[in-house]
Amino acid sequence: TEAAADDATTILDAIIIGSGLGGICQAIKLKERNIHHFLILEKENDLGGTWRDNTYLGAECDVPIALYSYSFASADRHYETFLGQKAVLDYIREVSDKYRVTEHIRYGANVEGLSFDEDSCIWNVRVSGGGKYRARFVISAVGQLHHPKIPDFPGANQFQGEAFHTARFGSRNIDHFVGKRVAVIGNGASGIQIIPPLQKVCKELHVYQRTPSYIFPKVRLSRAEEKIIADFPIVRRAAREFLRMFAEGALYAAIKGEAWAQFALKKICDTNRSKVKDPEKRDKLH
């Protein structure tokens, strides 16, 4: 049941590329089927995927942790309804250690090429630095949220200030922005999360959006309610099932274009928007 050795001549049962939530889950499921002769190749020096790389202010999961967790490994140590970046990363590490996945990970192994030998039905995997592996199966668990998409604005190279993408926030902290004039371009999940902490300390904060987002109310439970859900498995399972039914019922129905679901969600979002007191700002959010 030990992790596979780093032997280029050995044929592994599987190679998993990436050690984010998807890669960790695939490893656990292999072990459940008594498949232990596999490796996880991770290009960075730590696991966690997007939760390792995105460290911007306010970064957190916008899905309740009762649902944004493995069905077989609830985040019962974490009481918050919505976990911040560090807490999600801690959860991934806890699960990886619990299921002994960490021993299968090879860090600094950036996969640079794959080729399939049809005669032997074996995958040949080439990693940075010249390393090579062979496996019967290759499972891709690579992510994309750590790859910045930076628009090519005319004249952007003439900007004399500091400019960076949230996916490249690095070690900056809140003190870095005190008294500064800051512009945030974009109002997706990252924009929605980073704007509130910036607003508290910046001298000026300007938000540039292309299309307004529908802003669904973020319902946070009380500390006592969160603790009850975390401490009692039956309540935790019920909360997860309720959230799953809502997500697959109303939200998925709206995405598919069903009128009743779109109407209901729009009404909820419009009610939330009506709480903005400034009429000019409220109109910009519509």
Side-chain angles (χ1 to χ4, degrees):
T1 60
E2 296 181 356
D6 287 43
D7 185 351
T9 64
T10 300
I11 298 177
L12 304 170
D13 288 325
I15 283 177
I16 300 170
I17 306 175
S19 64
L21 279 165
I24 298 299
C25 183
Q26 289 299 303
I28 293 171
K29 293 305 175 180
L30 287 177
K31 292 167 79 75
E32 284 181 356
R33 289 159 176 78
N34 203 32
I35 300 173
H36 300 272
H37 199 53
F38 69 89
L39 291 176
I40 301 175
L41 302 183
E42 169 56 54
K43 66 179 180 179
E44 301 296 343
N45 295 316
D46 195 6
L47 54 71
T50 189
W51 295 106
R52 173 199 62 226
D53 294 333
N54 282 273
T55 59
Y56 58 85
L57 298 174
E60 69 174 19
C61 183
D62 48 14
V63 176
I65 190 58
L67 189 60
Y68 195 87
S69 54
Y70 297 126
S71 59
F72 53 84
S74 61
D76 49 10
R77 194 179 70 81
H78 303 280
Y79 294 153
E80 296 85 357
T81 308
F82 299 94
L83 291 192
Q85 172 263 334
K86 186 179 182 303
V88 176
L89 186 57
D90 286 344
Y91 166 73
I92 298 172
R93 289 194 176 112
E94 291 164 9
V95 174
S96 183
D97 289 341
K98 177 181 178 180
Y99 289 90
R100 297 187 64 183
V101 170
T102 310
E103 63 196 51
H104 292 266
I105 303 176
R106 298 297 178 264
Y107 295 112
N110 183 29
V111 175
E112 294 184 336
L114 296 170
S115 62
F116 185 69
D117 188 324
E118 295 186 357
D119 293 330
S120 61
C121 294
I122 295 297
W123 284 97
N124 295 292
V125 182
R126 187 179 75 256
V127 301
S128 55
K132 295 180 180 179
Y133 298 92
R134 304 175 73 200
R136 294 173 56 235
F137 297 96
V138 172
I139 303 171
S140 176
V142 298
Q144 81 286 346
L145 295 179
H146 63 297
H147 292 293
K149 179 175 175 56
I150 302 176
D152 185 17
F153 294 121
N157 58 346
Q158 299 176 21
F159 179 65
Q160 298 300 308
E162 183 180 9
F164 57 89
H165 194 282
T166 50
R168 296 292 181 267
F169 194 81
S171 60
R172 298 175 180 88
N173 57 36
I174 192 70
D175 294 336
H176 188 81
F177 302 93
V178 174
K180 302 285 183 65
R181 296 173 65 240
V182 177
V184 176
I185 302 174
N187 62 336
S190 299
I192 290 171
Q193 291 171 1
I194 198 173
I195 288 170
L198 287 177
Q199 184 270 334
K200 296 176 182 178
V201 301
C202 292
K203 179 181 179 181
E204 294 181 22
L205 179 61
H206 302 269
V207 180
Y208 296 86
Q209 66 176 21
R210 180 180 59 184
T211 306
S213 297
Y214 283 105
I215 307 297
F216 200 79
K218 195 167 192 177
V219 180
R220 290 186 182 273
L221 301 178
S222 68
R223 186 67 174 176
E225 291 169 330
E226 291 176 336
K227 194 173 188 308
I228 290 173
I229 291 176
D231 290 347
F232 294 93
I234 189 170
V235 179
R236 191 165 60 241
R237 288 194 295 269
R240 181 185 177 90
E241 183 62 16
F242 170 79
L243 290 167
R244 185 192 66 79
M245 291 174 63
F246 175 77
E248 295 186 1
L251 292 182
Y252 185 53
I255 293 172
K256 289 194 299 182
E258 295 190 21
W260 69 268
Q262 292 183 338
F263 176 80
L265 294 181
K266 185 177 185 303
K267 280 295 183 183
I268 295 174
C269 292
D270 285 346
T271 300
N272 193 43
R273 186 174 62 88
S274 68
K275 298 176 183 178
V276 179
K277 297 179 180 179
D278 186 335
E280 182 180 357
K281 186 176 296 183
R282 186 167 61 244
D283 288 343
K284 291 178 180 179
L285 297 173
H286 183 59

